[in-house]
Amino acid sequence: MDEKIKYELEFPITSSPQLLYQYISTPSGLSEWFADNVNSRGEFFTFIWDDSEEKARLTSKKSGEKVKFKWVDDDNNDGEYYFELKIIVDDITKDVSLMVVDFAEEDSLAESKQLWENQISDLKHVLGSA
């Protein structure tokens, strides 16, 4: 498997940080925009899309600010890669952004970024900020 490269994307979002946090940190919130269905059992989250299923462990969270999920294998061992969602609030303007940190193989980087753009677009619709 090719080495994946880390990338960051920032999306301005019209929402309160508290509301946005509910959509990035809970199975019900994530299933509204990130995956078709999301289940959790303790710290493990299962993300379900059409015909595929991926498991991740919630490795860190800070209420109202960020969540970090590390992908795990079938035996729940941490993988090398993770994705992180951070809520950024501008101190002066109070504008809210969502920072996405993820990894992709070099030849699928553009595709991965496009996927996030589509998912964040769905999130904005759910939040009513599109």
Side-chain angles (χ1 to χ4, degrees):
M1 191 159 113
D2 288 343
E3 181 83 9
K4 292 186 176 184
I5 46 179
K6 181 177 175 181
Y7 65 92
E8 295 183 355
L9 301 169
E10 188 172 339
F11 299 94
I13 297 200
T14 309
S15 168
S16 72
Q18 295 76 17
L19 179 62
L20 181 54
Y21 185 74
Q22 294 304 310
Y23 281 95
I24 67 170
S25 64
T26 64
S28 59
L30 285 161
S31 62
E32 296 247 0
W33 66 277
F34 182 73
D36 296 332
N37 197 6
V38 180
N39 300 313
S40 71
R41 185 165 283 149
E43 63 187 0
F44 292 98
F45 282 62
T46 303
F47 299 96
I48 301 160
W49 295 272
D50 291 336
D51 54 357
S52 72
E53 197 172 284
E54 296 286 335
K55 269 180 89 173
R57 187 167 66 85
L58 181 60
T59 57
S60 69
K61 70 177 178 179
K62 192 167 182 186
S63 187
E65 288 183 33
K66 68 177 185 171
V67 290
K68 182 176 179 180
F69 292 95
K70 194 157 208 173
W71 297 110
V72 297
D73 63 18
D74 294 337
D75 298 320
N76 291 339
N77 296 315
D78 284 358
E80 194 178 338
Y81 300 108
Y82 65 88
F83 71 96
E84 187 171 25
L85 302 169
K86 293 188 267 193
I87 298 169
I88 300 166
V89 180
D90 185 288
D91 290 336
I92 296 164
T93 64
K94 300 298 179 205
D95 288 345
V96 176
S97 298
L98 185 63
M99 174 74 76
V100 174
V101 179
D102 199 4
F103 293 82
E105 291 175 11
E106 199 168 350
D107 59 355
S108 63
L109 188 59
E111 190 181 318
S112 295
K113 288 181 177 180
Q114 183 64 53
L115 183 63
W116 274 111
E117 286 180 20
N118 292 342
Q119 288 176 303
I120 298 299
S121 173
D122 290 348
L123 173 61
K124 288 180 177 181
H125 279 286
V126 170
L127 290 166
S129 77

